[in-house]
Amino acid sequence: MVSPQLLIARRRRSSCYFYPRAWPSLRGADWWERVVLKEFGPQDWLEKFRMSRETFFYICNRLRPGLAPHSAHFHPTLPLEKRVAVALWHLATNVEYQTLSPLFGVGPSTVQTCVREVSYAVVLLLKPLYLRLPDEKELENMVRIFRTRWGFPHCIGALDSLHIPINPPLRLSADYCNGQGWHSILTQATVDGLGQFWDVSTAFPGSMENSAVLESSSLWVLAKEGRLCPNPPKNFMGKAQKYVLLGDATYPLQDWILKPYQEDESLTQRQLQFNYRLKRAHSVIENAFLRLKARWQILLKCDDCSLELLPTLVLACCILHNVCEAHDNPFNEEWLEGTEPTELPKPCQPAPAAMEDGRAEQVRELMCQYFENCGEG
């Protein structure tokens, strides 16, 4: 059965179906120059690199300062564009190094080097442009988008976590075994109302709970320092109120993090309405994770990647997701087919009561009052 999140993700804008051409199986060192650069059409670029030709060369130009040709790791005849192409193809398809290497006429170790150095360059040079803390005007715009697109006021983001399956080092196997019994690294992310990431903390051991990851993340520090809202805070329902993030039951209730009321028979109609509004708005990050994994299928199972490289690789995929979304690159709905975690259910442990902020209940009550007064659907 297809999940509601998958159906919602399929209905997102810029979706398409297409059927790329079948290319001859014999390829070599000149296949990139002879076929890809000269014969690939828009659908081929999208299928193999998850982006348009124009976006691909835009990224290459942005990465040029970090991928200088004098690098000791590369043969001088391997062009920058070819290195980026090798890396993106691997991130998009999760094809093994040994399988990918004859495609471009390079050795498996060169493929590995391309993936590593391009990932580092993406984080170094594109992160300041595409994955950063919003300024005050950008926060105001994010509030507007959440209100108009998702019907949730005074909100700047949805918060959630993503477990990425890995083969852990034997000596650390227990640390990376999550609550569902499989090994993973944990990524905490926050997205805006358009599903673009603006905060990512990654590579936590899979055994950690979401609440513990939050408390160890830079997002927690930013919130405690008051850097997620204007100073003084904007008025909401007649009171000065910090902007909020939307989480699920695995996060602690704070005056800047809202989560649903615990479902039971005692909930009032106002509280049920609040839960409905929050869950609907929170689905934006569930959809973002689906699109992220569908585009960059390396995140479905990180077999060829070392534990040391994983944080950079995950960040690079989140940044590249933002680049594709910001440049309005089409999204092929068929990529979603393999992303549903039917065999690997997401670990889910409620946040400990000790982390809850008693004052935050007043914020939830204000939201309930807002929804009751506005009556928006």
Side-chain angles (χ1 to χ4, degrees):
M1 182 176 179
V2 180
S3 73
Q5 289 80 20
L6 186 58
L7 291 173
I8 293 171
R10 285 175 170 173
R11 291 198 296 266
R12 283 284 305 272
R13 60 181 175 81
S14 303
S15 296
C16 65
Y17 287 110
F18 59 78
Y19 301 93
R21 287 175 287 176
W23 296 99
S25 57
L26 293 176
R27 299 165 186 176
D30 68 338
W31 182 72
W32 162 254
E33 294 84 359
R34 178 172 47 86
V35 176
V36 177
L37 291 181
K38 294 182 179 179
E39 297 185 28
F40 261 31
Q43 295 176 349
D44 301 305
W45 280 94
L46 201 62
E47 178 65 16
K48 300 306 182 185
F49 303 109
R50 299 304 199 251
M51 60 186 65
S52 67
R53 179 188 177 103
E54 292 75 19
T55 302
F56 175 86
F57 282 100
Y58 165 81
I59 288 175
C60 289
N61 288 331
R62 284 288 183 182
L63 299 185
R64 200 169 299 279
L67 295 172
H70 62 263
S71 171
H73 298 290
F74 290 107
H75 192 279
T77 60
L78 196 63
L80 175 144
E81 292 79 8
K82 190 171 182 177
R83 286 180 263 162
V84 175
V86 169
L88 293 183
W89 197 305
H90 178 69
L91 296 179
T93 64
N94 204 11
V95 171
E96 294 179 347
Y97 297 148
Q98 292 84 351
T99 305
L100 187 56
S101 63
L103 222 61
F104 288 89
V106 297
S109 62
T110 301
V111 174
Q112 185 177 26
T113 302
C114 288
V115 172
R116 183 179 65 250
E117 294 214 346
V118 169
S119 296
Y120 278 120
V122 166
V123 173
L124 177 66
L125 297 170
L126 294 182
K127 186 174 182 292
L129 301 174
Y130 288 94
L131 204 165
R132 57 179 177 77
L133 181 66
D135 61 30
E136 188 169 332
K137 282 191 173 297
E138 289 168 331
L139 289 173
E140 290 179 7
N141 189 49
M142 289 156 66
V143 169
R144 180 187 60 80
I145 291 173
F146 259 100
R147 185 180 64 251
T148 56
R149 182 177 283 245
W150 298 102
F152 209 100
H154 218 64
C155 175
I156 57 172
L159 172 68
D160 207 345
S161 67
L162 177 66
H163 280 266
I164 300 170
I166 63 167
N167 289 326
L170 290 177
R171 60 186 177 84
L172 297 174
S173 180
D175 294 336
Y176 287 88
C177 186
N178 60 47
Q180 291 289 337
W182 46 281
H183 295 95
S184 62
I185 64 163
L186 186 57
T187 297
Q188 174 187 282
T190 310
V191 300
D192 62 19
L194 298 176
Q196 295 183 27
F197 299 99
W198 60 264
D199 183 84
V200 176
S201 297
T202 189
F204 294 96
S207 62
M208 289 183 70
E209 303 296 347
N210 282 358
S211 55
V213 170
L214 173 65
E215 208 169 15
S216 303
S217 69
S218 58
L219 185 69
W220 183 266
V221 175
L222 290 171
K224 295 304 178 183
E225 292 177 350
R227 295 172 61 189
L228 298 183
C229 66
N231 187 18
K234 298 279 188 178
N235 274 354
F236 176 69
M237 299 293 287
K239 297 183 179 181
Q241 170 59 45
K242 298 176 184 177
Y243 292 145
V244 298
L245 301 179
L246 307 181
D248 59 21
T250 63
Y251 291 99
L253 185 65
Q254 300 280 312
D255 62 354
W256 57 279
I257 299 179
L258 298 183
K259 66 178 184 178
Y261 291 98
Q262 185 174 345
E263 298 279 356
D264 59 41
E265 295 179 356
S266 67
L267 289 187
T268 66
Q269 191 61 40
R270 283 161 44 116
Q271 292 169 336
L272 289 170
Q273 172 77 335
F274 170 85
N275 282 4
Y276 166 74
R277 298 298 189 88
L278 188 147
K279 290 176 182 178
R280 183 178 66 176
H282 186 264
S283 69
V284 66
I285 191 167
E286 299 162 19
N287 301 337
F289 279 152
L290 282 173
R291 290 167 75 90
L292 173 72
K293 293 184 294 180
R295 268 202 181 100
W296 310 112
Q297 298 195 6
I298 184 70
L299 300 179
L300 298 178
K301 180 71 174 178
C302 291
D303 287 329
D304 277 349
C305 185
S306 68
L307 205 57
E308 291 73 26
L309 178 60
L310 268 175
T312 301
L313 186 144
V314 173
L315 267 178
C317 289
C318 292
I319 294 163
L320 291 169
H321 164 92
N322 283 0
V323 173
C324 291
E325 296 285 312
H327 289 248
D328 204 22
N329 284 188
F331 183 87
N332 181 7
E333 296 179 4
E334 292 183 350
W335 299 337
L336 290 163
E337 296 299 334
T339 62
E340 280 207 290
T342 51
E343 296 180 2
L344 301 175
K346 177 183 173 182
C348 183
Q349 183 68 31
M355 285 187 69
E356 304 273 309
D357 181 353
R359 297 168 299 176
E361 193 54 62
Q362 299 172 15
V363 184
R364 273 204 303 203
E365 179 57 30
L366 275 179
M367 289 292 176
C368 288
Q369 183 181 340
Y370 172 86
F371 293 132
E372 187 176 51
N373 292 345
C374 293
E376 296 175 358

